[in-house]
Every structure is written in structure tokens, then in C-alpha cells.
């Protein structure tokens, strides 16, 4: 199920604010019995000036989608529109799209500023313009002092910034970033996340960012597309993706989550066998008696003494994590759940193993997984 | 706590501590290089008798340079080596570029194996075969036939370092060039070729030296006016070694050393691996 925000039925208005429109794009590698479907009829509209992230495990098709947009691979079927124009027939060097490669792929025989000016030179821009833009880019990524260094003479973090500047210099309509932070150590990665976000805001260029790191996706993106098995499972803001996962895969891939097998009772109510009922704000199309799966984040569960309006459970384990504590508790049907409670003074709860507790979740924090009710 | 026995100094199997290792190494290097050093020393010997040292002199070098036969042979050698190495390196570069691409085509593995074959086949075999082939076509033997023969055996020597260099290159760099609006021709001249230069230079120097040094192919395919230095020196040796031969040999050694040093010097910076990590 592809949840594109603009439906295919209204292409004219959709394309008006679309930087990239991907239309049922498929890519198959190999042939015959070795064939592998890397991308399975994916459709997505990426808006102008947005920081759009393709998130998924390795082999989910995110890098293939990026390489198809860049033109390094040819699609098996489907099309890619850039500002409404079909890109399919164009080789990479005619697409107004630039890429930041995972291992940077900088030109080792050139200096920092030669790397940055390469794209502008190939576009045949006037000499003084090339000089001015290159100087601007060096300032933008704070490498003014390194302009004449060779690529082998600068650090990994600096190489990363050269790769960014090189790809931004020709002012592409879309910047594609293929896990650009994966080679950096943790602290540098955190700094670069903020830097990338700043660059995107400053330049107003559409960023399409590929990562398998959920933290990176949540902190930087305007919208995230979660991919698995060559399909886009869900597209939404980081908040949507985290709070309202629609698929078991999305729920499990990002953060921790409790999955509860339930039975639909009405439009908003679900019964947990032998325990009670949970309410969910989102309307569903399930009929009474249909099996369903609910997803609840551990930090959204409120624990208290057993009382009316709460559901019963018994604490089975308490794990202290410093900033917060994780309470494992069992329901009457044996299902184990986890609740995360912050260790601040207002919320501190002292439950011990074996305590009977009451738990509740606000109806706005419960999501119904659409894909598999089993 | 026990140390890893393989790292301990006393480990008896450790080749670094075998008795007589230093002596054996010294003897080996003496065996290989002493004759060459003696030859160079004797090229400065005043005395005509090769084995008797009487004093320092540059006479033999003067004589060598004023001997028209020697100068002619040296000129031939340089002409043949230059044309053969440049042609062979150009062909080898094109072949290596095609063979290093990711796609597969029928017979790719086979072609790759055949490229190195001339290095392992005894040189006399292709030399005789080419001789008979040219004879049946009615070619006149001379500089032309020698050059063609040299190009053929120079190709694998030029090919191998270029191919090795290509395999060490990040394949994403070609994609990066295309991504930055370089069409395939621009990408080749601005990105691929400059990075390939150290490999091409190594190949060129290797091919040049192999050609300069060749005797068998030159002997079989040569004719009137195609006498090279090795052929000429061989002729001199039959009539008796003169210190002139020492002088020419020393000069050839100097040229080879200079070329190898040049290729190492030009390739030194770019050989460093780039990229993160």
C-alpha cells in the first residue's frame, strides 16, 4: 500500500509543488532464475524544498531508487519526472541532479577547490562565476582554509564536506545523498546531521536522503518514506511515522513498540482477550469481530495502582536505564508488554517485580496496523 | 600470561633468526650485482686488456660515441623501443579500459587469460612463427618487421600495470564525474586518465626496457639496417670483448635505471589510496 500524499488522479496540481515524481517504478536485476526485484512498482512524490528521507534496512531498494533518479541505473518499468519533465531518456550527465556518494568518490588527483568547481566547469560556466561560486561553497562548508589541499591531505569529516560542496555547487534541482554519514564516527555524525539540515534550509534545495539509521531519519527529515522489500510501506512526517505506524514492519523498524493482538469491537474499540478494551482515535474499516493488531509505544503507557479505567497487569521485570526505567509486565493472557517511564521526580513510580498494576494508554497514542491482523 | 608463541623472538621457525641468513643474503646480492659493478668499473679502465686495471679513463666512452656502427645500433634500439612501447601502451590502455568495465561479454575471461600468455610462452616460439608468417607474406625484413614484433610482446608488459591500476580505482568516481555533468569523453580525459597515469607510465617504462633489451625477436625479424644494440654487442663478443662493450652496457644500464626512477617518481603521490577510512 503506497500512501502518497498526492494521488495520481490530479497530476497537474501535484506536479506544481513536486520536485521529483516517481511513477510505478520497478527495477529488476539479473535475469531468469537469478532475477531480483529490487524495486517493486514504487510511486512517490517528493515536494520542492523538502528534506525527504528514504529509510529502510539494507537491500530494501532505497539506494536503487536513488541511483535510478541519478540515472546510474535504468528502470525496468515506470518513469521519473523532474519538475514535470520525464528524465527516463537522459544520461546522468544531463540530469540537473547531483549526488553525495556514500564513500564520497572525490577526485583524488584534484585539490579541494578543483573538486568543487568540476561540475560548473563541465556545465561550461564563465570563469569568474566558477571562481565566485567555488569560493561561496568553500565558505558554506567552512573549508576556506583548505582550498588548495589535496583530497588525501584532509580528514574524513572534511572530505564529507567537500563531497557536499561539490554536489551543491552546480545548484542542482535535487540533491541525492546516499548514506553520506555512515563512514563518520558518532560525534562527527551528530554534528553533520545538524550541518546538513542547515545547508538544506540555507540553499532551499530539495534533499533526498538515503539512510538505514532511524535516528538520522527522525531528526533531519521533513518527511520519511519507510521501505522494505522494494516497496514503500509508509510515507509521513517523522511524527506520523513514529506515533502512527501503519505496518508491523514500520512499527518494529523505528524504535521499540508493543504489539497487541486484538478483536475489533466497533469503530474505535478493540478487545484484548481476557484483559479489557483499548480505544484508538483513528477510525478503521474493520468490522466487529475482525482480528487486528494494535501498536503502542512503551513511553505512552501510564502505570498506576490497579483502579477503575485501567487494565490489569503484573510486573515481571524492572530494568533501570539511568534516564528512564523499563517495566516489563504480563497480561492475563501471558502477553508481555513494556512500559518506559522517565526517572524524573514528578513521574517516578516505584513498582517491584510481582506487583499488580493498572495500565492505560491515551486513545491518541494507539495505532492499528493495517497490513497483517494475524 | 603466555605470549603468542608466533610473536616471540625465540621461535625457532622464524626465518629472521635462521643461522647464516645474513651471509646467504649478502652472497646472493653479490652474485647478482657484483658482475654488473665490475663491468661498470672496467668501462673506466685505461687498459685495453679487460682484466688489468691501470688507471681511470673515459676513452672507451669516447670511442663508443665516435663508432658509427654503435651509434647507429643505439639509434635503432631507441627508435624501435620508442615506437613499440608507445604503440603497445596505447593498445594496452584501450584493452585494459574495456576489460575493467563491469559488464560481461562472451569470452571475457578467456581474453583476460590470453593477454598474459605471451609472458609465459618461450619467446622463440612467436619469433619463429612471426618470421615464417612475414616470409609467406613476402615482407622485407628490417626495422618495420622488428617494430611489429616488439609491439606484440610489449603489450602484456604494458597491460598488466595499467589493469592493476584500474582495479584499484574507485568505480564510483566515474559515476561521480557523470553526475557532475561530464560526458563520457570529458570524464575520460579529466577523471579516468589522470588517475591512470601512474599505471600507464609503469607500463610504458616496462615495455620500453623489455624492447630495448630484446634479442631473440630482433634477431629473427631483423634485416639490413635494423641492427640494435643487443645484436651489435652480441656480434662484438664473438670477435672478442673490448672495453667499448663495457661502456655501452653501462650506458644501457644507466638509461634503464633512469627510466625506472622516473616512473617511480611520477607515480609516487597518486599511488596513495584515497577515500575515507
Amino acid at each position: 500500500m503506497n500512501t502518497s500524499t498526492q494521488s495520481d488522479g490530479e497530476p497537474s496540481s501535484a506536479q506544481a509543488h513536486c520536485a521529483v515524481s516517481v511513477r510505478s517504478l520497478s527495477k529488476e536485476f539479473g535475469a531468469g532464475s537469478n532475477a531480483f526485484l529490487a524495486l517493486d512498482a514504487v510511486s512517490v512524490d517528493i515536494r520542492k524544498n523538502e528534506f525527504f528521507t528514504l529509510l529502510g534496512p539494507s537491500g530494501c531498494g532505497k539506494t536503487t531508487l536513488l541511483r535510478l533518479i541519478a540515472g546510474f541505473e535504468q528502470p525496468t518499468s515506470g518513469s521519473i519526472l523532474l519538475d514535470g519533465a520525464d528524465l527516463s531518456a537522459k544520461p546522468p550527465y544531463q540530469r540537473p541532479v547531483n549526488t553525495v556518494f556514500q564513500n564520497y568518490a572525490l577526485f583524488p588527483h584534484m585539490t579541494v577547490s578543483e573538486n568543487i568547481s568540476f561540475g560548473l566547469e563541465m556545465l561550461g560556466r564563465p570563469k569568474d562565476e566558477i571562481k565566485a561560486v567555488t569560493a561561496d561553497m568553500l565558505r558554506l562548508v567552512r573549508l576556506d582554509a583548505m582550498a588548495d589541499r589535496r583530497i588525501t591531505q584532509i580528514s574524513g569529516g572534511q572530505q564529507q564536506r567537500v563531497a557536499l560542496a561539490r554536489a551543491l555547487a552546480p545548484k542542482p534541482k535535487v540533491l541525492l545523498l546516499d548514506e553520506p554519514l555512515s563512514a563518520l564516527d558518532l560525534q562527527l555524525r551528530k554534528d553533520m546531521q545538524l550541518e546538513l539540515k542547515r545547508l538544506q534550509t540555507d540553499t532551499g534545495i530539495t534533499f533526498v536522503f538515503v539512510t538505514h539509521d532511524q535516528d538520522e531519519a527522525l531528526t533531519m527529515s521533513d518527511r520519511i518514506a519507510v521501505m522494505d522489500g522494494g516497496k514503500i510501506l509508509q510515507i509521513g512526517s517523522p511524527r506520523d511515522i513514529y506515533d502512527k505506524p501503519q505496518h508491523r514492519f514500520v512499527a518494529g523498524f523505528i524504535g521499540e513498540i508493543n504489539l497487541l493482538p486484538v478483536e475489533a469491537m466497533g469503530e474505535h474499540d478493540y478487545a484484548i482477550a481476557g484483559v479489557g478494551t483499548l480505544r484508538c482515535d483513528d477510525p478503521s474499516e474493520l468490522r466487529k469481530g475482525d482480528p487486528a493488531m494494535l501498536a503502542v509505544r512503551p513511553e505512552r503507557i501510564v502505570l498506576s495502582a490497579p483502579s477503575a479505567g485501567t487494565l490489569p497487569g503484573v510486573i515481571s521485570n524492572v530494568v533501570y536505564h539511568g534516564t528512564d526505567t523499563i517495566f516489563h509486565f504480563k497480561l492475563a493472557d501471558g502477553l508481555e508488554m513494556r512500559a518506559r517511564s522517565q526517572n524524573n521526580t514528578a513521574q517516578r513510580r516505584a513498582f517491584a517485580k510481582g506487583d499488580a498494576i493498572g495500565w492505560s494508554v491515551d486513545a491518541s497514542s494507539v495505532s492499528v496496523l493495517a497490513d497483517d491482523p494475524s | 600470561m603466555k605470549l603468542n608463541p608466533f610473536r616471540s623472538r625465540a621461535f625457532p621457525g622464524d626465518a629472521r633468526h635462521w643461522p647464516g641468513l645474513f651471509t646467504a643474503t649478502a652472497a646472493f646480492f653479490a652474485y647478482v650485482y657484483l658482475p654488473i659493478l665490475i663491468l661498470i668499473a672496467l668501462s673506466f679502465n685505461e687498459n685495453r686488456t679487460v682484466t688489468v686495471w691501470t688507471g681511470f679513463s673515459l676513452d672507451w666512452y669516447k670511442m663508443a660515441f665516435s663508432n658509427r656502427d654503435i651509434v647507429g645500433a643505439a639509434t635503432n634500439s631507441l627508435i624501435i623501443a620508442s615506437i613499440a612501447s608507445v604503440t603497445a601502451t596505447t593498445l594496452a590502455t584501450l584493452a585494459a579500459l574495456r576489460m575493467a568495465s563491469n559488464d560481461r561479454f562472451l569470452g571475457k575471461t578467456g581474453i583476460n587469460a590470453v593477454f598474459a600468455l605471451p609472458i609465459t610462452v618461450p619467446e622463440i616460439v612467436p619469433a619463429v612463427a612471426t618470421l615464417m608468417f612475414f616470409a609467406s607474406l613476402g615482407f622485407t625484413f628490417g626495422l618495420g618487421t622488428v617494430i611489429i614484433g616488439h609491439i606484440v610482446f610489449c603489450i602484456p608488459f604494458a597491460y598488466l600495470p595499467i589493469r592493476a591500476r584500474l582495479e584499484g580505482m574507485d568505480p564510483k568516481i566515474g559515476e561521480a564525474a557523470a553526475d557532475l555533468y561530464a560526458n563520457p569523453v570529458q570524464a575520460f580525459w579529466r577523471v579516468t586518465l589522470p588517475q591512470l597515469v601512474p599505471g600507464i607510465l609503469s607500463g610504458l617504462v616496462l615495455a620500453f626496457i623489455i624492447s630495448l633489451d630484446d634479442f631473440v625477436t630482433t634477431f629473427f625479424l631483423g634485416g639490413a639496417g635494423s641492427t640494435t644494440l643487443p645484436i651489435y654487442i652480441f656480434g662484438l663478443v664473438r670477435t672478442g670483448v673490448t672495453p667499448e662493450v663495457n661502456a655501452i652496457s653501462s650506458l644501457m644500464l644507466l638509461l634503464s635505471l633512469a627510466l625506472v626512477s622516473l616512473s617511480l617518481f611520477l607515480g609516487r603521490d597518486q599511488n596513495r589510496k584515497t577515500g575515507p577510512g
Side-chain angles (χ1 to χ4, degrees), chain B residues 127-138:
Chain B
V128 171
T130 315
L131 169 73
M132 297 197 304
F133 177 63
F134 284 165
S136 69
L137 290 178

Side-chain angles (χ1 to χ4, degrees), chain B residues 33-64:
Chain B
Y33 290 108
L34 209 54
I36 298 175
L37 291 176
I38 292 171
L39 179 139
I40 295 172
L42 289 177
S43 72
F44 296 108
N45 187 2
E46 198 183 17
N47 198 307
R48 182 165 244 288
T49 313
V50 172
T51 47
V52 183
W53 178 267
T54 49
F56 181 85
S57 135
L58 289 172
D59 286 351
W60 302 114
Y61 286 89
K62 275 184 216 143
M63 270 188 72

Side-chain angles (χ1 to χ4, degrees), chain B residues 82 84-97 154-167 169 188-189 191-209 259-260 262-264 266-268 270-271:
Chain B
S82 303
S85 60
V86 168
T87 312
T89 307
T90 309
L91 294 174
T93 305
L94 296 175
L97 283 168
C154 280
I155 286 177
F157 290 96
Y159 175 79
L160 292 177
I162 297 171
R163 182 72 203 276
R165 179 75 193 166
L166 268 173
E167 308 229 300
M169 271 168 60
F188 176 75
W189 287 106
V191 176
T192 312
L193 193 62
Q195 287 189 76
L196 211 53
V197 163
I200 292 177
L201 282 178
S202 306
L204 187 70
V205 168
L206 203 56
F208 188 89
I209 291 172
L259 285 171
V260 171
L262 183 72
S263 85
L264 288 177
L266 290 173
R268 81 202 182 288
Q270 319 218 5
N271 275 322

Side-chain angles (χ1 to χ4, degrees), chain A residues 246-249 259-262 286 291-294 368-374:
Chain A
Q246 290 166 358
H247 292 255
R248 180 196 280 249
F249 178 83
L259 295 174
L260 286 153
V262 292
L286 296 168
M293 185 71 81
L294 298 187
V368 185
L369 300 185
D371 55 341
D372 68 326
S374 55

